[in-house]
């Protein structure tokens, strides 16, 4: 039954079955068995964990028969297509979501250019995926633990990671919580309950399962949310993680940002079958696919997932269909492997920021004037935070040796001493002026 | 209980070997029982039998004493003890072992084998730390080496549990548990199977504290894995992968040599605020028995121990290899009239080089021995660290007796293995240099 709006073209490549939008929130926990019930006389079933399988005398190989629908409640024009599903968030909340989107865009604009000027070593922008960040983050409790990948700056913003925090990290200065040890965008905050990001892909997913198990043990009433891309979902760690979550029944939300591109590899070369959501179902997780550019659909799905995770101690999979408008990183030029028109189509037609903007306009909660002012102000705030961060010195070179262990080992003490003496001997060869003593 | 009478000590090795070959395990049982609590004639005979018994008793899993007609061996009857100079006994447990004793510190002790010592350490860890969890493949029923026997029943199915069969999953899960402030005791069934978890251990666990600027850590994490030769393990049940992990800042790597050490070092590892790789010598799980304190105690990490004093050569090893080195030292002392200083490194990362350097300054000669392959092995690191600090004290090139640079081969194990004789030869060369 085709109803409502279609999710855009690229996702159709996976299958000849049209992916229709769906206007009722539905969490799927099993696919219809393709097995016909022919053994009427005996009706014996083969009982394994999960589904019961009926004996069948028909030789048939099965494949995905039903592509999971994509939950959507707001169209490209920012119009709620099913008022029953409208989360009816208050003005302050929606404006806050939107303001964070504006800040995120401003930060991405500035830091991308700053990297191009050589003032930071690396950066990754978040364009096109803003709704997946803010829609999900807003549906969580601050006590829920987050394990992120690297393109979830909006989640950090929502939790309260300040522009100064971002700039300090990207500048590797002495105020960076990570003490300048990691490349830019590897944020983390104990205060905000977001584990520090690491570069290896998908490693955070089984960790999130372990974290959720610990939460279950302490009956904390919280869950762990794990973000990752559809490319990372090809790693073994992904499969390990969701299988562990299913068998150990952890309060986990696995949030896949399917942005269609893993650096230059399109999702068409990343997997077969019914995407990441299909895997969620097959591993025995309650699963939903959502329009990742519909902030309210993402919000509703995450909120419902949280309820299942926390109340039933069950893991949930969310596959948010979105698009990486950004280049992969500042080290990447994506026009070498994808067409400008493809990017433009997503940028113009499916922009999640524009969609929320239209919603705000229709509600009378925003105006063109506010838009101009807020964008100008956001840029100004980012620039002043950047200036402050650039004025800070880098951490003391001694920090090179701290935190490897809880205490310095004899070897580290000796090596630190060797470094100090060497640098003292050749001060002109090392950037000591840039660092704290 | 003994059901075999041994009249001629010289005949014992041959008999054991023959029975082993024809799998007459019940007869072996009898021989092992008769060996108990007797006095042996010479040290050489002890050495010969020592390793054979270790090999065989490893195979006598879940043995039951069966009454059999005694085997009469022709010749003069000799009885002997097989208590090791490390105070370990290599034999199966007997009823007498149930008796309590007291150690030098006045602590009540009980004869305990190595896997039981591990079991006790985990039992104590679970009892004293409500946030401690124990998990891995087949852990729930007691583990394939029986280390977690009874712990699920005692501490609950949600604290002692099976995971799916996936080492990278176990490692990642354990890191998440520890990142949430809990204590994770994760079992990898064999050290040979730890490599799917390598990324999680090396890139994640080891760097967790550092990369977050000490905001987060996984100090509550301990990976346990049985390592090393077992007589019949071949390529994938025999490896000693310590060097891979010793090349990883942020980890601690610990290897115990005996039941007393295993219990104290494991408790210290579990409670250490850093992730620890704890490698258990599987050869000794059943065969090594010691008077182990019943109480909760820790043996500090990062400290090597001189377990035998000597003047002429310093010999360094860890884990099960120390028993081999003991045999080599006995041979050398007997034949060459020298004394050797034997050091158990215990913690391989960070290394306690001070203890080794101090000894080398006294003896002038150093031998390092491990089962793992030579190239890139830890012996190279120790040798280099020692020459940096004791170059002028060295009177001979530092010797390494290790596994060869091949995979661990099943049928060639006797040839591959850095056994007592190879170590004896190396000691001899050092003395004659």
């Amino acid at each position: 039954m085709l109803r409502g709006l279609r999710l855009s073209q690229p996702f159709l490549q996976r299958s000849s079955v049209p992916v229709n939008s769906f206007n009722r929130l539905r969490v799927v926990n099993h696919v219809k068995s393709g097995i016909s019930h022919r053994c009427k006389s005996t009706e014996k079933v083969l009982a394994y964990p999960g589904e019961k399988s009926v004996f069948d005398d028909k030789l048939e190989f099965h494949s995905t028969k039903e592509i999971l629908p994509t939950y959507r409640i707001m169209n490209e024009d920012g119009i709620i297509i099913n008022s029953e599903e409208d989360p009816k968030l208050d003005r302050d909340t929606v404006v806050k979501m939107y303001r964070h989107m504006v800040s995120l865009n401003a930060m991405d604009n500035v830091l991308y250019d700053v990297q191009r000027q050589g003032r930071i070593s690396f950066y990754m922008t978040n364009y096109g995926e803003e709704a997946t960040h803010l829609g999900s983050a807003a549906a969580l409790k601050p006590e829920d633990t987050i394990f992120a990948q690297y393109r979830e700056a909006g989640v950090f913003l929502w939790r309260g990671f300040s522009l100064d925090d971002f700039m300090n990290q990207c500048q590797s200065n002495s105020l960076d919580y990570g003490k300048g040890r990691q490349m830019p965008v590897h944020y983390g905050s104990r205060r905000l309950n977001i584990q520090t990001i690491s570069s290896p892909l998908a490693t955070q997913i089984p960790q999130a399962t372990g974290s959720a198990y610990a939460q279950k043990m302490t009956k904390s009433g919280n869950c762990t949310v794990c973000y990752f891309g559809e490319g990372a979902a090809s790693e073994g760690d992904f499969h390990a993680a969701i299988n562990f979550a299913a068998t150990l029944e952890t309060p986990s939300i696995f949030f896949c940002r399917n942005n269609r591109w893993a650096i230059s590899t399109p999702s068409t070369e990343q997997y077969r079958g019914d995407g990441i959501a299909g895997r969620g179902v097959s591993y025995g997780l309650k699963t939903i696919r959502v329009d990742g550019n519909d902030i309210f659909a993402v919000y509703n799905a995450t909120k419902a997932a949280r309820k299942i995770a926390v109340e039933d101690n069950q893991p949930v999979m969310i596959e948010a269909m979105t698009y990486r408008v950004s280049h992969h990183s500042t080290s990447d030029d994506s026009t070498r492997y994808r067409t400008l028109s493809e990017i433009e189509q997503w940028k113009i037609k499916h922009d999640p920021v524009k969609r929320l903007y239209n919603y705000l306009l229709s509600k009378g909660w925003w105006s063109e004037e506010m838009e101009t002012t807020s964008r100008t102000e956001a840029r100004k705030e980012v620039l002043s935070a950047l200036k402050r961060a650039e004025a800070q010195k880098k951490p003391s070179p001694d920090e090179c040796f701290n935190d490897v262990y809880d205490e310095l080992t004899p070897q580290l003490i000796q090596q630190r001493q060797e470094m100090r003496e060497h640098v003292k001997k050749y001060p002109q060869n090392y950037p000591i002026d840039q660092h704290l003593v | 209980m003994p059901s075999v009478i041994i009249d001629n000590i010289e005949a014992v090795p041959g008999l054991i070997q023959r029975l082993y070959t024809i799998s007459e395990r019940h007869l072996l049982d009898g021989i092992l029982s008769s060996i108990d609590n007797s006095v042996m004639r010479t040290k050489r005979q002890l050495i010969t039998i020592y390793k054979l018994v270790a090999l065989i008793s490893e195979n006598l899993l879940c043995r039951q004493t069966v009454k059999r007609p005694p085997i009469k061996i022709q010749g003069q009857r000799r009885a002997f003890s097989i208590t090791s100079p490390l105070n370990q006994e290599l034999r199966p447990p007997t009823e007498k072992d149930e008796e309590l004793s007291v150690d030098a510190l006045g602590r009540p002790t009980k004869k305990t084998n190595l896997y039981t010592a591990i079991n006790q350490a985990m039992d104590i860890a679970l009892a004293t730390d409500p946030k401690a969890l124990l998990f891995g493949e087949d852990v729930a029923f007691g583990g394939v080496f029986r280390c977690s026997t009874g712990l699920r029943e005692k501490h609950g199915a949600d604290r002692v549990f099976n995971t799916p069969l996936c080492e990278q999953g176990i490692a990642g899960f354990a890191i998440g548990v520890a990142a949430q402030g809990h204590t994770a005791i994760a079992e990898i069934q064999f050290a040979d199977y730890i490599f799917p978890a390598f990324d999680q251990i090396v890139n994640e666990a080891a760097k967790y504290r550092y990369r977050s600027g000490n905001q987060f850590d996984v100090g509550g994490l301990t990976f346990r894995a049985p390592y090393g030769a077992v007589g019949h393990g071949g390529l994938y049940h025999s490896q000693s992968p310590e060097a891979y992990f010793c090349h990883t800042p942020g980890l601690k790597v610990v290897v115990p040599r005996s039941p007393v050490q295993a219990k104290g070092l494991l408790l210290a590892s579990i409670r250490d605020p850093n992730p620890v790789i704890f490698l258990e010598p599987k050869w000794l799980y059943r065969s090594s028995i010691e008077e182990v304190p019943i109480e909760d105690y820790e043996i500090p990490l990062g400290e090597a121990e001189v377990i035998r004093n000597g003047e002429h050569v310093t010999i360094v090893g860890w884990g099960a290899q120390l028993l081999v080195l003991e045999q080599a030292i006995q041979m050398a002392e007997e034949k060459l009239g020298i004394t050797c200083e034997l050091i158990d490194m215990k913690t391989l990362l960070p290394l306690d080089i001070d203890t080794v350097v101090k000894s080398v300054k006294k003896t002038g000669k150093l031998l390092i021995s491990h089962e793992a392959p030579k190239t890139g092995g830890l012996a190279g690191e120790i040798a280099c660290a020692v020459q940096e600090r004791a170059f002028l004290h060295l009177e001979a090139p530092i010797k390494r007796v290790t596994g060869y640079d091949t995979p661990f081969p099943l049928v060639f194990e006797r040839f591959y293995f850095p056994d007592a004789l190879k170590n004896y030869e190396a000691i001899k060369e050092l003395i004659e240099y």
Side-chain angles (χ1 to χ4, degrees):
Chain A
M1 217 46 89
L2 289 176
R3 271 205 302 183
L5 295 146
R6 289 189 180 194
L7 199 70
S8 298
Q9 204 63 29
F11 291 114
L12 301 183
Q13 292 174 6
R14 221 179 28 241
S15 161
S16 58
V17 181
V19 180
N20 56 327
S21 81
F22 204 64
N23 64 0
R24 255 180 350 97
L25 195 157
R26 197 179 70 165
V27 175
V28 183
N29 62 1
H30 67 279
V31 208
K32 275 181 194 163
S33 159
I35 298 166
S36 57
H37 296 242
R38 291 173 136 224
C39 309
K40 281 170 191 161
S41 56
T42 51
E43 276 301 318
K44 282 188 180 161
V45 293
L46 201 54
Y48 277 90
E51 305 292 325
K52 285 192 179 116
S53 177
V54 179
F55 284 115
D56 186 7
D57 58 8
K58 186 177 153 208
L59 196 156
E60 189 185 350
F61 293 94
H62 302 272
S63 57
T64 308
K65 294 206 168 162
E66 186 193 356
I67 300 294
L68 296 189
T70 303
Y71 172 67
R72 165 192 269 193
I73 59 171
M74 178 168 70
N75 70 15
E76 271 89 359
D77 302 321
I79 295 163
I80 300 287
I81 51 178
N82 181 351
S83 59
E84 283 175 23
E85 292 293 314
D86 185 349
K88 297 190 172 66
L89 296 173
D90 61 35
R91 177 182 177 150
D92 287 353
T93 306
V94 184
V95 168
K96 187 181 165 192
M97 285 172 159
Y98 187 73
R99 281 192 184 279
H100 280 317
M101 284 181 164
V102 170
S103 293
L104 187 55
N105 288 164
M107 185 170 79
D108 282 353
N109 292 341
V110 169
L111 288 182
Y112 189 84
D113 292 343
V114 162
Q115 193 280 336
R116 283 285 176 263
Q117 294 160 11
R119 289 155 70 191
I120 59 174
S121 59
F122 176 84
Y123 192 67
M124 298 177 105
T125 58
N126 302 272
Y127 303 124
E129 301 179 47
E130 297 89 342
T132 62
H133 302 183
L134 292 155
S136 59
L140 301 171
K141 295 249 160 75
E143 297 80 21
D144 295 333
T145 299
I146 287 172
F147 282 77
Q149 184 164 299
Y150 48 61
R151 205 187 303 282
E152 289 92 2
V155 175
F156 281 81
L157 268 175
W158 182 266
R159 283 264 166 129
F161 208 68
S162 71
L163 288 174
D164 287 297
D165 291 337
F166 284 106
M167 298 302 139
N168 291 334
Q169 200 282 329
C170 289
Q171 285 291 335
S172 315
N173 70 21
S174 59
L175 298 177
D176 167 22
Y177 301 126
K179 304 187 185 176
R181 291 167 183 152
Q182 289 211 80
M183 286 170 76
V185 314
H186 292 64
Y187 317 115
S189 170
R190 178 159 198 93
R191 180 177 64 90
L192 302 175
N193 216 358
I194 313 180
Q195 299 276 325
T196 303
I197 289 162
S198 75
S199 305
L201 279 175
T203 49
Q204 79 279 16
I205 316 176
Q207 294 168 10
T209 305
S211 162
Y213 190 88
Q215 287 171 318
K216 181 171 94 166
M217 288 299 293
T218 47
K219 299 184 171 62
S220 67
N222 298 309
C223 64
T224 296
V225 186
C226 184
Y227 293 90
F228 54 94
E230 88 288 351
S234 294
E235 293 277 6
D237 273 342
F238 163 85
H239 297 270
I242 59 171
N243 193 35
F244 273 54
T247 53
L248 296 168
E249 300 179 343
T250 60
S252 307
I253 301 174
F254 297 101
F255 192 103
C256 177
R257 296 176 292 98
N258 188 337
N259 67 13
R260 207 173 170 259
W261 289 96
I263 304 189
S264 71
T265 306
S267 54
T268 48
E269 293 172 27
Q270 197 68 249
Y271 56 77
R272 290 291 180 272
D274 188 17
I276 313 308
R279 288 182 207 164
V281 172
S282 65
Y283 275 98
L285 269 63
K286 295 198 169 178
T287 299
I288 187 167
R289 175 175 283 141
V290 298
D291 177 354
N293 289 3
D294 171 354
I295 195 166
F296 297 127
V298 173
Y299 176 88
N300 280 354
T302 310
K303 200 171 177 194
R306 190 187 184 282
K307 192 167 156 40
I308 295 166
V310 170
E311 291 180 8
D312 306 342
N313 275 326
Q314 287 296 328
V316 186
M317 174 76 71
I318 298 174
E319 185 184 19
M321 312 310 273
T322 181
Y323 186 82
R324 194 194 80 206
V325 172
S326 313
H327 299 304
H328 166 68
S329 71
T330 46
S331 309
D332 174 46
D333 172 10
S334 65
T335 57
R336 292 177 59 166
Y337 52 79
R338 59 181 185 180
T339 62
L340 267 175
S341 63
E342 179 188 311
I343 305 170
E344 285 305 310
Q345 184 200 359
W346 278 92
K347 224 167 161 176
I348 295 160
K349 199 174 169 209
H350 306 291
D351 181 12
V353 183
K354 186 82 181 164
R355 217 191 280 195
L356 188 58
Y357 171 77
N358 287 335
Y359 175 86
L360 283 171
L361 281 188
S362 72
K363 281 274 187 182
W365 293 347
W366 203 250
S367 66
E368 280 182 32
E369 194 192 337
M370 287 165 82
E371 178 71 5
T372 316
T373 321
S374 74
R375 292 216 171 251
T376 314
E377 272 174 13
R379 187 176 172 84
K380 232 188 262 174
E381 282 167 15
V382 170
L383 286 170
S384 65
L386 177 67
K387 211 172 162 187
R388 284 193 293 276
E390 281 182 324
Q392 282 293 330
K393 288 212 169 193
K394 309 296 182 207
S396 161
D398 279 0
E399 285 294 353
C400 174
F401 298 94
N402 294 336
D403 306 332
V404 180
Y405 298 94
D406 65 318
E407 290 174 347
L408 290 168
T409 61
Q411 282 82 355
L412 287 170
I413 292 170
Q414 190 195 333
Q415 289 164 23
R416 185 181 64 184
Q417 189 57 26
E418 287 167 6
M419 186 199 74
R420 282 175 181 167
E421 285 167 12
H422 178 79
V423 172
K424 206 173 164 190
K425 197 171 169 189
Y426 298 102
Q428 69 282 5
N429 294 77
Y430 297 91
I432 46 176
D433 296 346
Q434 295 172 24
H435 290 264
L436 294 178
V437 180
Chain B
M1 198 172 73
S3 52
V4 183
I5 296 166
I6 301 169
D7 283 332
N8 180 0
I9 185 65
E10 309 289 347
V12 171
L15 180 72
I16 289 177
Q17 217 157 20
R18 192 159 57 82
L19 295 178
Y20 181 58
T21 315
I22 59 173
S23 296
E24 288 288 337
R25 289 189 171 179
H26 59 279
L27 296 179
L28 290 172
D29 280 8
I31 290 177
L32 291 167
S33 302
S34 76
I35 286 167
D36 186 31
N37 291 326
S38 316
V39 180
M40 192 186 163
R41 191 166 52 175
T42 72
K43 281 180 180 174
R44 284 181 63 192
Q45 286 162 345
L46 164 70
I47 292 159
T48 318
I49 297 168
Y50 195 72
K51 232 179 113 178
L52 269 172
V53 174
L55 182 78
I56 291 156
S57 50
E58 174 59 30
N59 283 279
L60 297 175
L61 307 183
C62 306
R63 61 182 277 283
Q64 289 178 343
T65 307
V66 184
K67 290 277 180 193
R68 294 274 167 183
I71 299 173
K72 184 131 172 106
I73 299 169
Q74 293 301 313
Q76 196 188 355
R77 183 171 177 156
R78 292 282 168 190
F80 57 93
S81 158
I82 126 150
T83 300
S84 100
L86 296 171
N87 297 320
Q88 298 180 48
E89 294 174 44
L90 296 182
R91 59 165 182 76
T94 65
E95 280 169 17
K96 211 174 156 231
D97 294 344
E98 294 302 310
E99 294 169 13
L100 292 186
S101 185
V102 176
D103 73 359
L105 298 172
R107 300 179 293 191
T109 64
K110 195 172 149 186
K111 287 219 160 138
T112 307
N113 65 19
L114 196 141
Y115 88 75
T116 309
I118 298 279
N119 180 278
Q120 286 176 12
M122 298 195 292
D123 188 10
I124 290 169
L126 288 160
T128 54
D129 176 1
K131 283 190 162 185
L133 305 173
L134 168 61
F135 50 87
E137 293 156 14
D138 306 304
V139 160
F141 92 110
V144 296
F145 286 105
R146 314 305 299 142
C147 290
S148 50
T149 304
L151 299 181
R152 183 183 178 90
E153 294 70 24
K154 195 166 170 187
H155 300 285
D158 52 353
R159 296 183 67 202
V160 180
F161 52 92
N162 287 339
T163 65
L165 206 165
C166 178
E167 287 77 13
Q168 70 190 98
I170 293 169
F173 181 88
I175 290 167
V177 166
Q180 199 60 257
H182 286 237
T183 303
I185 309 167
E187 177 174 308
I188 302 291
Q189 204 163 77
F190 284 86
D192 308 68
Y193 303 135
I194 205 168
F195 300 111
F198 200 65
D199 184 42
Q200 284 287 351
I201 296 171
V202 170
N203 269 333
E204 296 292 318
K207 298 169 176 61
Y208 219 92
R209 185 192 298 275
Y210 192 77
R211 74 184 186 205
S212 71
N214 205 23
Q215 291 188 90
F216 299 102
D217 68 78
V218 291
L221 173 57
T222 305
F223 289 107
R224 294 175 41 244
Y227 86 96
V230 69
H232 52 267
L235 272 69
Y236 304 115
H237 296 83
S238 308
Q239 293 178 76
S240 301
E242 69 272 7
Y244 296 109
F245 300 105
C246 290
H247 201 57
T248 307
L251 298 179
K252 290 192 178 179
V253 180
V254 178
V255 188
R257 68 170 185 268
S258 73
V260 171
Q261 294 288 316
K263 184 173 173 181
L265 286 170
L266 181 55
L267 275 165
S269 296
I270 291 167
R271 291 161 178 172
D272 190 90
N274 300 285
V276 179
I277 310 283
F278 190 84
L279 297 171
E280 299 166 3
K282 62 177 166 292
W283 194 322
L284 305 184
Y285 267 142
R286 288 171 180 279
S287 59
S288 172
I289 296 173
E290 245 180 341
E291 287 287 344
V292 175
I294 293 160
E295 65 178 36
D296 179 351
Y297 66 96
E298 294 176 28
I299 295 174
L301 305 188
E303 290 180 17
E305 182 188 350
V306 177
I307 53 176
R308 184 189 186 102
N309 289 304
E311 295 298 321
H312 301 95
V313 187
T314 299
I315 300 175
V316 169
W318 50 87
Q321 190 63 7
L322 291 165
L323 302 182
V324 175
L325 292 172
E326 270 290 348
Q327 296 169 36
I329 289 169
Q330 285 182 22
M331 288 166 77
E333 295 195 343
E334 198 171 296
K335 287 189 174 180
L336 308 173
I338 57 153
T339 58
C340 302
E341 190 138 296
L342 182 59
I343 297 175
D344 177 3
M345 289 311 295
K346 296 189 193 181
T347 301
L348 304 183
L349 183 67
L351 278 171
D352 174 10
I353 285 296
D354 287 354
T355 299
V356 183
V357 167
K358 195 178 158 201
S359 173
V360 169
K361 283 183 177 171
K362 181 173 74 174
T363 63
K365 291 175 177 177
L366 175 61
L367 164 66
I368 309 148
S369 181
H370 56 63
E371 279 180 31
K374 187 174 228 172
T375 303
L378 212 60
E381 175 59 34
I382 294 169
C384 189
V386 168
Q387 66 82 27
E388 279 176 345
R389 292 176 51 191
F391 184 69
L392 294 176
H393 295 268
L394 285 169
E395 293 165 17
I398 297 167
K399 282 260 178 213
R400 290 181 284 169
V401 178
T402 67
Y404 300 123
D405 289 347
T406 69
F408 199 110
L410 179 69
V411 77
F412 309 120
E413 178 163 332
R414 289 282 307 281
F415 299 94
Y416 171 92
F417 195 79
D419 62 11
L421 193 56
K422 290 177 189 174
N423 278 288
Y424 165 75
E425 274 298 300
I427 297 169
K428 196 160 158 260
E429 284 170 27
L430 280 172
I431 293 299
E432 291 168 357
Y433 185 81

